[in-house]
Coordinates of all heavy atoms in Angstrom, one line a residue:
M3 N 0.8 -1.2 0.0 CA 0.0 0.0 0.0 C 0.9 1.2 0.0 O 1.9 1.3 0.7 CB -0.9 0.0 1.2 CG -2.0 -1.0 1.2 SD -3.6 -0.6 1.9 CE -3.3 -0.1 3.5
G4 N 0.4 2.2 -0.8 CA 1.2 3.5 -0.8 C 0.7 4.4 0.3 O -0.3 4.3 0.9
T5 N 1.6 5.4 0.6 CA 1.3 6.4 1.6 C 1.0 7.7 1.0 O 1.7 8.1 0.0 CB 2.6 6.5 2.6 OG1 2.9 5.3 3.1 CG2 2.3 7.5 3.7
Y6 N 0.0 8.4 1.5 CA -0.4 9.6 0.9 C -0.6 10.7 1.9 O -1.0 10.4 3.1 CB -1.8 9.4 0.2 CG -1.7 8.4 -1.0 CD1 -1.8 7.1 -0.7 CD2 -1.5 8.8 -2.3 CE1 -1.7 6.1 -1.7 CE2 -1.4 7.9 -3.3 CZ -1.5 6.6 -3.0 OH -1.4 5.6 -4.0
L7 N -0.4 12.0 1.5 CA -0.8 13.1 2.3 C -2.0 13.8 1.7 O -2.0 14.1 0.5 CB 0.4 14.1 2.3 CG 0.1 15.5 2.9 CD1 -0.1 15.4 4.4 CD2 1.3 16.4 2.6
M8 N -3.1 13.8 2.4 CA -4.3 14.4 1.9 C -4.6 15.7 2.7 O -4.8 15.7 3.9 CB -5.5 13.4 2.2 CG -6.7 13.8 1.4 SD -8.1 12.5 1.7 CE -7.5 11.1 0.8
L9 N -4.4 16.8 2.0 CA -4.6 18.2 2.6 C -6.0 18.7 2.4 O -6.5 18.5 1.2 CB -3.6 19.1 2.0 CG -2.1 18.8 2.3 CD1 -1.2 19.5 1.3 CD2 -1.7 19.2 3.7
F10 N -6.6 19.3 3.4 CA -8.0 19.8 3.2 C -8.1 21.3 3.5 O -7.4 21.7 4.5 CB -8.9 19.1 4.2 CG -9.0 17.6 4.0 CD1 -8.3 16.7 4.9 CD2 -9.7 17.1 3.0 CE1 -8.4 15.4 4.7 CE2 -9.8 15.7 2.8 CZ -9.2 14.8 3.7
S11 N -8.9 22.0 2.8 CA -9.3 23.4 3.0 C -10.8 23.4 3.2 O -11.5 22.8 2.4 CB -8.9 24.3 1.9 OG -7.5 24.3 1.7
F12 N -11.2 24.1 4.2 CA -12.7 24.2 4.4 C -13.3 25.0 3.3 O -12.7 26.0 2.9 CB -13.0 24.9 5.7 CG -12.6 24.1 6.9 CD1 -11.8 24.6 7.9 CD2 -13.1 22.8 7.1 CE1 -11.4 23.9 9.0 CE2 -12.7 22.0 8.2 CZ -11.9 22.6 9.2
T13 N -14.5 24.6 2.8 CA -15.3 25.4 2.0 C -16.1 26.4 2.8 O -16.0 26.3 4.1 CB -16.3 24.6 1.1 OG1 -17.1 23.9 2.1 CG2 -15.5 23.6 0.3
Q14 N -16.8 27.3 2.2 CA -17.6 28.2 3.0 C -18.6 27.4 3.9 O -18.8 27.6 5.0 CB -18.4 29.2 2.1 CG -19.2 30.2 2.8 CD -18.4 31.1 3.7 OE1 -17.3 31.5 3.3 NE2 -18.9 31.5 4.9
R15 N -19.2 26.4 3.2 CA -20.1 25.5 4.0 C -19.5 24.8 5.1 O -20.0 24.7 6.2 CB -20.7 24.5 3.0 CG -21.6 23.4 3.6 CD -22.1 22.5 2.6 NE -22.7 21.3 3.2 CZ -23.3 20.4 2.6 NH1 -23.3 20.4 1.2 NH2 -23.8 19.3 3.2
G16 N -18.2 24.3 4.9 CA -17.5 23.6 6.0 C -17.2 24.5 7.1 O -17.3 24.1 8.3
I17 N -16.8 25.7 6.9 CA -16.5 26.7 8.0 C -17.7 27.1 8.7 O -17.7 27.4 9.9 CB -15.6 27.8 7.5 CG1 -14.8 28.5 8.6 CG2 -16.4 28.9 6.7 CD1 -13.7 27.6 9.2
E18 N -18.8 27.3 8.0 CA -20.1 27.7 8.6 C -20.5 26.6 9.6 O -21.2 26.9 10.6 CB -21.2 27.9 7.6 CG -21.0 29.2 6.8 CD -21.9 29.4 5.6 OE1 -22.7 28.5 5.4 OE2 -21.8 30.4 4.9
K19 N -20.2 25.4 9.4 CA -20.6 24.3 10.2 C -19.3 23.6 10.9 O -19.2 22.4 11.0 CB -21.3 23.2 9.5 CG -22.6 23.8 8.9 CD -23.4 22.7 8.1 CE -24.6 23.4 7.6 NZ -25.8 22.6 7.7
I20 N -18.4 24.5 11.3 CA -17.1 24.1 11.9 C -17.3 23.2 13.1 O -16.5 22.2 13.3 CB -16.2 25.2 12.2 CG1 -14.8 24.8 12.5 CG2 -16.7 26.1 13.3 CD1 -14.1 24.1 11.3
K21 N -18.3 23.4 13.9 CA -18.5 22.6 15.1 C -18.8 21.1 14.7 O -18.6 20.2 15.5 CB -19.6 23.1 16.0 CG -19.1 24.4 16.6 CD -20.1 24.8 17.7 CE -19.5 26.0 18.4 NZ -20.2 26.3 19.7
D22 N -19.2 20.9 13.5 CA -19.5 19.5 13.0 C -18.2 18.8 12.5 O -18.2 17.6 12.2 CB -20.5 19.5 11.9 CG -21.9 20.0 12.3 OD1 -22.2 19.9 13.5 OD2 -22.6 20.4 11.4
S23 N -17.1 19.6 12.5 CA -15.9 19.1 11.9 C -15.4 17.8 12.5 O -15.0 16.9 11.8 CB -14.8 20.1 11.9 OG -13.7 19.7 11.1
P24 N -15.3 17.7 13.9 CA -14.8 16.4 14.4 C -15.6 15.2 14.0 O -15.0 14.1 13.7 CB -15.0 16.6 16.0 CG -14.8 18.1 16.1 CD -15.5 18.7 14.9
A25 N -16.9 15.3 13.8 CA -17.7 14.2 13.4 C -17.4 13.9 11.9 O -17.4 12.8 11.5 CB -19.2 14.5 13.6
R26 N -17.2 15.0 11.1 CA -16.8 14.8 9.7 C -15.5 14.1 9.5 O -15.3 13.3 8.6 CB -16.8 16.1 9.0 CG -18.2 16.7 8.8 CD -18.3 17.9 7.8 NE -17.3 18.9 8.0 CZ -17.5 20.1 8.5 NH1 -18.7 20.4 8.9 NH2 -16.6 21.0 8.6
V27 N -14.6 14.4 10.4 CA -13.3 13.7 10.4 C -13.5 12.2 10.6 O -12.9 11.4 9.9 CB -12.3 14.3 11.5 CG1 -11.1 13.4 11.6 CG2 -11.9 15.7 11.1
E28 N -14.3 11.9 11.6 CA -14.6 10.4 11.9 C -15.3 9.8 10.7 O -15.0 8.6 10.4 CB -15.4 10.3 13.2 CG -14.6 10.6 14.4 CD -13.3 9.8 14.5 OE1 -13.3 8.5 14.3 OE2 -12.2 10.4 14.8
A29 N -16.2 10.5 10.1 CA -16.9 9.9 8.9 C -15.9 9.7 7.8 O -16.0 8.7 7.1 CB -18.0 10.9 8.5
A30 N -15.0 10.7 7.6 CA -14.0 10.5 6.5 C -13.1 9.3 6.7 O -12.8 8.5 5.8 CB -13.2 11.8 6.3
K31 N -12.7 9.1 8.0 CA -11.9 8.0 8.4 C -12.6 6.7 8.1 O -12.0 5.7 7.6 CB -11.4 8.1 9.8 CG -10.4 9.2 10.0 CD -10.2 9.6 11.5 CE -9.5 8.6 12.3 NZ -9.3 9.2 13.7
K32 N -13.9 6.7 8.4 CA -14.7 5.5 8.2 C -14.8 5.2 6.7 O -14.7 4.0 6.2 CB -16.1 5.7 8.8 CG -17.0 4.5 8.6 CD -18.4 4.7 9.2 CE -19.3 3.5 9.0 NZ -20.6 3.7 9.5
T33 N -15.0 6.2 5.9 CA -15.1 6.1 4.4 C -13.8 5.5 3.9 O -13.8 4.6 3.1 CB -15.4 7.4 3.7 OG1 -16.6 7.9 4.1 CG2 -15.3 7.4 2.2
I34 N -12.7 6.0 4.4 CA -11.3 5.5 3.9 C -11.2 4.1 4.3 O -10.7 3.2 3.5 CB -10.2 6.4 4.5 CG1 -10.3 7.8 3.8 CG2 -8.9 5.8 4.4 CD1 -9.5 8.9 4.5
R35 N -11.5 3.7 5.5 CA -11.5 2.3 5.9 C -12.3 1.4 5.1 O -11.9 0.3 4.6 CB -11.9 2.1 7.4 CG -10.8 2.4 8.4 CD -11.2 1.9 9.8 NE -12.5 2.4 10.3 CZ -12.7 3.6 10.8 NH1 -11.7 4.4 11.1 NH2 -13.9 4.0 11.2
Q36 N -13.5 1.8 4.8 CA -14.4 1.0 4.0 C -13.9 0.8 2.5 O -14.3 -0.1 1.9 CB -15.8 1.7 3.9 CG -16.6 1.6 5.2 CD -17.9 2.4 5.2 OE1 -18.1 3.3 4.5 NE2 -18.8 2.0 6.1
M37 N -13.1 1.7 2.1 CA -12.5 1.7 0.7 C -11.1 1.0 0.7 O -10.4 1.0 -0.3 CB -12.4 3.0 0.1 CG -13.8 3.7 -0.1 SD -13.6 5.3 -0.8 CE -15.0 5.3 -2.0
G38 N -10.7 0.4 1.9 CA -9.5 -0.3 1.9 C -8.3 0.4 2.4 O -7.2 0.0 2.3
G39 N -8.5 1.7 2.8 CA -7.4 2.5 3.3 C -7.3 2.5 4.8 O -8.1 1.9 5.5
E40 N -6.3 3.2 5.3 CA -6.0 3.3 6.7 C -5.4 4.6 7.1 O -4.3 5.0 6.6 CB -5.0 2.2 7.1 CG -4.6 2.2 8.6 CD -3.4 1.3 8.8 OE1 -3.3 0.3 8.1 OE2 -2.7 1.5 9.8
V41 N -6.1 5.4 7.9 CA -5.6 6.7 8.3 C -4.6 6.5 9.4 O -4.9 5.9 10.4 CB -6.8 7.7 8.8 CG1 -6.2 9.0 9.3 CG2 -7.7 8.0 7.6
Q42 N -3.4 7.0 9.2 CA -2.3 6.9 10.2 C -2.3 8.1 11.1 O -1.9 7.9 12.3 CB -1.0 6.7 9.5 CG -1.0 5.4 8.7 CD 0.4 5.2 8.1 OE1 1.0 6.1 7.5 NE2 0.9 4.0 8.2
A43 N -2.7 9.3 10.6 CA -2.6 10.5 11.4 C -3.6 11.5 10.9 O -3.8 11.6 9.7 CB -1.2 11.0 11.5
F44 N -4.1 12.3 11.8 CA -4.9 13.5 11.4 C -4.3 14.7 12.2 O -3.9 14.6 13.3 CB -6.3 13.4 11.9 CG -7.1 14.7 11.9 CD1 -7.7 15.2 10.8 CD2 -7.1 15.4 13.1 CE1 -8.3 16.4 10.8 CE2 -7.8 16.7 13.1 CZ -8.4 17.1 11.9
Y45 N -4.1 15.8 11.5 CA -3.7 17.0 12.1 C -4.5 18.2 11.6 O -4.9 18.3 10.5 CB -2.2 17.3 11.8 CG -1.2 16.4 12.4 CD1 -0.8 15.3 11.6 CD2 -0.8 16.5 13.7 CE1 0.1 14.4 12.2 CE2 0.1 15.6 14.2 CZ 0.6 14.6 13.5 OH 1.5 13.7 14.0
A46 N -4.8 19.1 12.5 CA -5.3 20.5 12.1 C -4.0 21.3 11.9 O -3.0 21.1 12.6 CB -6.1 21.1 13.2
I47 N -4.0 22.2 11.0 CA -2.9 22.9 10.6 C -3.0 24.4 10.9 O -4.1 25.0 10.5 CB -2.6 22.8 9.1 CG1 -2.5 21.3 8.7 CG2 -1.3 23.5 8.7 CD1 -2.4 21.0 7.3
L48 N -2.1 25.0 11.5 CA -2.1 26.5 11.8 C -1.1 27.2 10.9 O 0.0 26.7 10.7 CB -1.7 26.7 13.2 CG -1.5 28.1 13.7 CD1 -2.9 28.8 13.7 CD2 -1.0 28.2 15.1
G49 N -1.5 28.3 10.3 CA -0.6 29.1 9.5 C -0.3 28.6 8.1 O 0.7 28.8 7.5
S50 N -1.3 27.9 7.5 CA -1.2 27.3 6.2 C -2.4 27.7 5.3 O -3.5 28.0 5.9 CB -1.0 25.8 6.3 OG -1.1 25.2 5.0
Q51 N -2.3 27.5 4.1 CA -3.5 27.6 3.2 C -4.5 26.4 3.4 O -5.6 26.4 3.0 CB -3.1 27.7 1.7 CG -2.6 26.4 1.2 CD -2.0 26.6 -0.2 OE1 -1.1 27.3 -0.4 NE2 -2.6 25.9 -1.2
Y52 N -4.0 25.4 4.1 CA -4.8 24.2 4.4 C -5.2 24.2 5.9 O -4.5 24.8 6.7 CB -4.0 22.9 4.1 CG -3.6 22.9 2.6 CD1 -2.3 23.2 2.3 CD2 -4.5 22.6 1.6 CE1 -1.9 23.2 0.9 CE2 -4.1 22.6 0.3 CZ -2.8 22.9 0.0 OH -2.5 23.0 -1.4
D53 N -6.3 23.6 6.1 CA -6.9 23.6 7.5 C -6.6 22.3 8.3 O -6.4 22.3 9.5 CB -8.4 23.9 7.4 CG -8.6 25.2 6.8 OD1 -8.1 26.2 7.3 OD2 -9.4 25.3 5.8
T54 N -6.7 21.2 7.6 CA -6.5 19.9 8.2 C -5.8 18.9 7.2 O -5.7 19.2 6.0 CB -7.8 19.2 8.6 OG1 -8.6 19.0 7.5 CG2 -8.5 20.1 9.7
M55 N -5.3 17.8 7.7 CA -4.7 16.8 6.9 C -4.8 15.4 7.4 O -4.9 15.2 8.6 CB -3.2 17.2 6.7 CG -2.4 17.1 8.0 SD -0.6 17.4 7.7 CE -0.1 15.7 7.5
F56 N -4.7 14.5 6.5 CA -4.5 13.0 6.9 C -3.2 12.6 6.3 O -2.9 13.0 5.2 CB -5.6 12.2 6.2 CG -7.0 12.2 6.9 CD1 -8.1 12.0 6.1 CD2 -7.2 12.4 8.2 CE1 -9.4 12.0 6.6 CE2 -8.5 12.4 8.7 CZ -9.5 12.2 7.9
I57 N -2.6 11.7 7.0 CA -1.5 10.8 6.4 C -2.2 9.5 6.4 O -2.7 9.0 7.5 CB -0.2 10.9 7.2 CG1 0.4 12.3 7.2 CG2 0.8 9.8 6.7 CD1 1.6 12.4 8.1
L58 N -2.2 8.8 5.2 CA -2.9 7.6 5.2 C -2.3 6.6 4.2 O -1.4 7.0 3.4 CB -4.4 7.8 4.7 CG -4.6 8.4 3.4 CD1 -5.8 7.7 2.7 CD2 -4.8 9.9 3.4
K59 N -2.7 5.4 4.3 CA -2.3 4.3 3.4 C -3.5 4.0 2.5 O -4.6 3.9 3.0 CB -1.9 3.0 4.2 CG -0.7 3.2 5.1 CD 0.6 2.8 4.3 CE 1.8 2.7 5.3 NZ 3.0 2.6 4.6
A60 N -3.2 3.7 1.3 CA -4.3 3.3 0.3 C -3.7 2.3 -0.6 O -2.5 2.3 -0.9 CB -4.8 4.5 -0.5
P61 N -4.5 1.3 -1.1 CA -4.0 0.3 -2.0 C -3.6 0.7 -3.3 O -2.8 0.0 -4.0 CB -5.2 -0.7 -2.0 CG -6.4 0.0 -1.5 CD -5.9 1.2 -0.7
S62 N -4.0 1.8 -3.9 CA -3.7 2.2 -5.2 C -4.0 3.7 -5.4 O -4.8 4.3 -4.6 CB -4.4 1.4 -6.3 OG -5.8 1.7 -6.2
D63 N -3.4 4.3 -6.5 CA -3.8 5.7 -6.8 C -5.3 5.8 -7.2 O -5.9 6.8 -6.9 CB -2.9 6.1 -8.0 CG -1.5 6.3 -7.6 OD1 -1.1 6.4 -6.4 OD2 -0.6 6.4 -8.6
E64 N -5.8 4.8 -7.8 CA -7.2 4.8 -8.2 C -8.1 4.8 -6.9 O -9.1 5.6 -6.8 CB -7.6 3.6 -9.0 CG -7.0 3.6 -10.4 CD -5.5 3.1 -10.5 OE1 -5.0 2.6 -9.5 OE2 -4.9 3.3 -11.6
K65 N -7.7 4.0 -5.9 CA -8.5 4.0 -4.7 C -8.4 5.3 -3.9 O -9.4 5.8 -3.4 CB -8.0 2.9 -3.7 CG -8.7 1.6 -4.0 CD -10.2 1.7 -3.7 CE -10.9 0.4 -4.1 NZ -12.4 0.6 -4.1
I66 N -7.2 5.9 -3.9 CA -7.1 7.2 -3.2 C -7.9 8.3 -3.9 O -8.6 9.1 -3.3 CB -5.6 7.7 -3.1 CG1 -5.5 8.8 -2.0 CG2 -5.0 8.2 -4.3 CD1 -5.6 8.3 -0.6
A67 N -8.0 8.2 -5.3 CA -8.8 9.1 -6.0 C -10.3 8.9 -5.6 O -11.0 9.9 -5.4 CB -8.7 8.9 -7.5
E68 N -10.7 7.7 -5.5 CA -12.1 7.4 -5.1 C -12.4 8.0 -3.7 O -13.4 8.6 -3.4 CB -12.4 5.9 -5.0 CG -12.5 5.3 -6.4 CD -12.6 3.8 -6.3 OE1 -13.0 3.3 -5.3 OE2 -12.3 3.1 -7.3
M69 N -11.4 7.8 -2.8 CA -11.6 8.3 -1.4 C -11.7 9.9 -1.4 O -12.6 10.4 -0.7 CB -10.4 7.9 -0.6 CG -10.3 6.4 -0.3 SD -8.7 6.0 0.5 CE -8.7 4.3 0.3
V70 N -10.8 10.5 -2.1 CA -10.9 12.0 -2.2 C -12.2 12.5 -2.8 O -12.8 13.4 -2.2 CB -9.7 12.5 -3.1 CG1 -9.9 14.0 -3.4 CG2 -8.4 12.3 -2.4
L71 N -12.7 11.8 -3.8 CA -13.9 12.2 -4.4 C -15.1 12.0 -3.5 O -16.0 12.8 -3.4 CB -14.1 11.5 -5.8 CG -13.2 11.9 -6.9 CD1 -13.3 11.0 -8.1 CD2 -13.4 13.4 -7.3
A72 N -15.1 10.9 -2.8 CA -16.2 10.6 -1.8 C -16.2 11.6 -0.7 O -17.3 12.1 -0.3 CB -16.0 9.2 -1.3
I73 N -15.1 12.0 -0.2 CA -15.0 13.0 0.9 C -15.4 14.4 0.4 O -16.2 15.1 1.0 CB -13.6 13.0 1.5 CG1 -13.4 11.6 2.3 CG2 -13.4 14.1 2.5 CD1 -12.0 11.3 2.7
T74 N -14.8 14.8 -0.7 CA -15.0 16.2 -1.2 C -16.4 16.4 -1.8 O -16.9 17.5 -1.8 CB -13.9 16.6 -2.2 OG1 -13.9 15.8 -3.3 CG2 -12.6 16.7 -1.5
A75 N -17.0 15.3 -2.2 CA -18.4 15.4 -2.8 C -19.4 15.9 -1.8 O -20.5 16.4 -2.2 CB -18.8 14.1 -3.4
L76 N -19.1 15.8 -0.5 CA -20.0 16.2 0.5 C -20.1 17.7 0.6 O -21.0 18.3 1.3 CB -19.6 15.6 1.9 CG -19.6 14.1 1.9 CD1 -19.1 13.6 3.2 CD2 -21.0 13.6 1.7
G77 N -19.1 18.4 0.1 CA -19.1 19.9 0.0 C -18.5 20.7 1.1 O -18.6 21.9 1.1
N78 N -17.9 20.0 2.1 CA -17.3 20.7 3.3 C -15.9 21.1 3.1 O -15.4 21.9 3.9 CB -17.5 19.8 4.5 CG -19.0 19.6 4.8 OD1 -19.7 20.6 5.0 ND2 -19.4 18.4 4.8
V79 N -15.2 20.4 2.2 CA -13.7 20.6 2.1 C -13.3 20.5 0.6 O -14.0 19.8 -0.2 CB -12.9 19.6 2.9 CG1 -13.0 19.8 4.4 CG2 -13.2 18.2 2.5
R80 N -12.2 21.1 0.3 CA -11.5 20.9 -1.0 C -10.2 20.1 -0.6 O -9.8 20.2 0.6 CB -11.1 22.2 -1.7 CG -12.3 22.9 -2.2 CD -11.9 24.2 -2.9 NE -13.0 25.0 -3.2 CZ -13.6 25.9 -2.4 NH1 -13.1 26.0 -1.2 NH2 -14.7 26.5 -2.7
S81 N -9.7 19.4 -1.5 CA -8.5 18.5 -1.1 C -7.4 18.6 -2.1 O -7.7 18.8 -3.3 CB -9.0 17.1 -1.0 OG -7.9 16.3 -0.6
Q82 N -6.2 18.4 -1.7 CA -5.0 18.2 -2.5 C -4.3 17.0 -1.9 O -4.1 17.0 -0.7 CB -4.1 19.5 -2.5 CG -3.0 19.4 -3.5 CD -2.3 20.7 -3.5 OE1 -1.2 20.8 -2.9 NE2 -2.7 21.7 -4.3
T83 N -4.0 16.1 -2.8 CA -3.4 14.8 -2.3 C -2.1 14.5 -3.0 O -2.0 14.8 -4.2 CB -4.4 13.7 -2.6 OG1 -5.7 14.0 -2.0 CG2 -3.9 12.3 -2.1
H84 N -1.2 14.1 -2.2 CA 0.2 13.8 -2.7 C 0.6 12.4 -2.3 O 0.3 11.9 -1.2 CB 1.2 14.8 -2.1 CG 0.9 16.2 -2.4 ND1 1.3 16.8 -3.5 CD2 0.1 17.1 -1.6 CE1 0.8 18.1 -3.5 NE2 0.1 18.3 -2.3
R85 N 1.3 11.7 -3.2 CA 1.9 10.4 -2.9 C 3.2 10.7 -2.1 O 4.0 11.5 -2.5 CB 2.2 9.6 -4.2 CG 3.0 8.3 -4.1 CD 2.2 7.3 -3.3 NE 2.7 6.0 -3.6 CZ 3.6 5.4 -2.8 NH1 4.2 6.0 -1.8 NH2 4.1 4.2 -3.1
L86 N 3.4 10.0 -1.0 CA 4.6 10.1 -0.2 C 5.4 8.8 -0.4 O 4.9 7.7 -0.5 CB 4.2 10.3 1.3 CG 3.3 11.4 1.6 CD1 3.0 11.4 3.1 CD2 3.9 12.7 1.2
F87 N 6.8 9.0 -0.3 CA 7.7 7.9 -0.4 C 8.5 7.9 0.9 O 9.2 9.0 1.2 CB 8.6 8.0 -1.6 CG 7.8 7.9 -2.9 CD1 7.4 9.1 -3.6 CD2 7.5 6.7 -3.5 CE1 6.7 9.1 -4.8 CE2 6.8 6.7 -4.7 CZ 6.4 7.8 -5.3
N88 N 8.6 6.8 1.6 CA 9.4 6.8 2.8 C 10.9 6.7 2.4 O 11.2 6.6 1.2 CB 9.0 5.7 3.7 CG 9.2 4.3 3.2 OD1 10.1 4.1 2.3 ND2 8.4 3.4 3.6
E89 N 11.8 6.7 3.4 CA 13.2 6.7 3.1 C 13.6 5.5 2.3 O 14.4 5.6 1.3 CB 14.0 6.8 4.4 CG 15.5 7.0 4.2 CD 16.2 7.2 5.6 OE1 15.5 7.3 6.6 OE2 17.4 7.2 5.5
E90 N 13.1 4.4 2.6 CA 13.5 3.1 1.9 C 13.0 3.2 0.4 O 13.8 2.9 -0.5 CB 12.9 1.9 2.6 CG 13.2 0.6 1.9 CD 12.5 -0.6 2.6 OE1 12.6 -0.6 3.9 OE2 12.0 -1.4 1.9
E91 N 11.8 3.6 0.2 CA 11.3 3.8 -1.2 C 12.1 4.8 -2.0 O 12.4 4.6 -3.1 CB 9.8 4.2 -1.1 CG 8.9 3.1 -0.6 CD 7.5 3.6 -0.3 OE1 7.4 4.8 0.2 OE2 6.5 2.9 -0.5
F92 N 12.4 5.9 -1.3 CA 13.1 6.9 -2.0 C 14.5 6.4 -2.4 O 15.0 6.7 -3.5 CB 13.3 8.2 -1.1 CG 14.1 9.3 -1.7 CD1 13.6 10.0 -2.8 CD2 15.3 9.6 -1.2 CE1 14.3 11.0 -3.3 CE2 16.1 10.6 -1.8 CZ 15.5 11.4 -2.8
S93 N 15.2 5.7 -1.5 CA 16.5 5.2 -1.8 C 16.4 4.2 -2.9 O 17.3 4.2 -3.8 CB 17.1 4.4 -0.5 OG 17.4 5.4 0.4
R94 N 15.4 3.4 -3.0 CA 15.2 2.4 -4.1 C 15.0 3.1 -5.4 O 15.6 2.8 -6.4 CB 14.0 1.5 -3.8 CG 14.0 0.3 -4.6 CD 12.9 -0.8 -4.2 NE 11.6 -0.2 -3.8 CZ 11.1 -0.2 -2.6 NH1 11.8 -0.7 -1.6 NH2 9.9 0.3 -2.4
I95 N 14.2 4.2 -5.4 CA 14.0 5.0 -6.6 C 15.3 5.6 -7.1 O 15.7 5.5 -8.3 CB 12.9 6.1 -6.3 CG1 11.6 5.4 -6.1 CG2 12.9 7.1 -7.5 CD1 10.5 6.4 -5.5
V96 N 16.0 6.2 -6.2 CA 17.3 6.9 -6.5 C 18.3 5.9 -7.0 O 19.1 6.2 -7.9 CB 17.8 7.8 -5.3 CG1 19.2 8.3 -5.6 CG2 16.8 8.9 -5.0
S97 N 18.4 4.8 -6.4 CA 19.4 3.8 -6.7 C 19.2 3.2 -8.1 O 20.1 2.6 -8.7 CB 19.5 2.7 -5.7 OG 18.4 1.9 -5.7
S98 N 18.0 3.3 -8.6 CA 17.7 2.8 -9.9 C 18.0 3.7 -11.1 O 17.9 3.4 -12.3 CB 16.2 2.3 -10.0 OG 15.4 3.5 -10.0
L99 N 18.4 4.9 -10.7 CA 18.7 5.9 -11.7 C 20.0 5.5 -12.5 O 20.9 4.9 -12.0 CB 18.9 7.3 -11.1 CG 17.7 7.9 -10.5 CD1 18.1 9.2 -9.7 CD2 16.6 8.2 -11.5
P100 N 20.0 5.9 -13.8 CA 21.2 5.5 -14.6 C 22.5 6.3 -14.1 O 22.4 7.3 -13.6 CB 20.8 5.9 -16.0 CG 19.6 6.7 -15.9 CD 19.0 6.5 -14.6

C-alpha cells in the first residue's frame, strides 16, 4: 500500500458548520477504511492555506482518487493529495537511476 498526504481546506459550507468538523473527520476515516485504506494520522494545521490533513495508506492511486472524491463530494472541504515515499522507497528509486 502506498502512503499519501491528503490536505484539506474548508469550503464556506464547511467553515459555517465548523462545530461538526470532528464528526466529519470520523466519517471521512470510516469512508477511507471502507474503501480499503487506513488513516495513520490527522492534524489540524495552523498558518497554512490548508486547514487539516490526513496521512494515510491506500491500496492504489485509483483508490485514493475514489476516497478523495467521496470525501469532497459532501461539499465541506476541498482537497489536495500527494503520494509520499518513505526513506527506503526513496533510496530504491534513486538507486535505480542511470
Side-chain angles (χ1 to χ4, degrees):
M3 291 215 305
T5 305
Y6 298 85
L7 171 65
M8 193 180 288
L9 297 160
F10 299 104
S11 298
F12 294 124
T13 61
Q14 184 63 36
R15 177 181 167 177
I17 200 70
E18 287 171 359
K19 298 181 181 225
I20 192 64
K21 289 191 174 194
D22 297 337
S23 188
R26 291 194 308 256
V27 169
E28 289 307 313
K31 289 163 74 173
K32 181 178 178 183
T33 296
I34 289 167
R35 275 193 309 274
Q36 289 173 336
M37 295 179 141
E40 175 189 336
V41 175
Q42 296 183 313
F44 164 84
Y45 291 96
I47 305 170
L48 178 64
S50 171
Q51 70 190 61
Y52 302 102
D53 299 303
T54 60
M55 64 175 268
F56 285 149
I57 297 174
L58 66 142
K59 297 268 191 189
S62 67
D63 291 345
E64 291 81 7
K65 273 295 177 193
I66 197 77
E68 289 175 20
M69 293 171 193
V70 169
L71 292 171
I73 292 166
T74 58
L76 300 174
N78 297 301
V79 292
R80 290 181 190 84
S81 179
Q82 190 174 96
T83 303
H84 304 273
R85 173 68 161 89
L86 303 177
F87 298 94
N88 65 28
E89 188 175 353
E90 180 182 314
E91 291 167 322
F92 179 71
S93 292
R94 195 170 47 247
I95 292 164
V96 171
S97 69
S98 69
L99 295 173

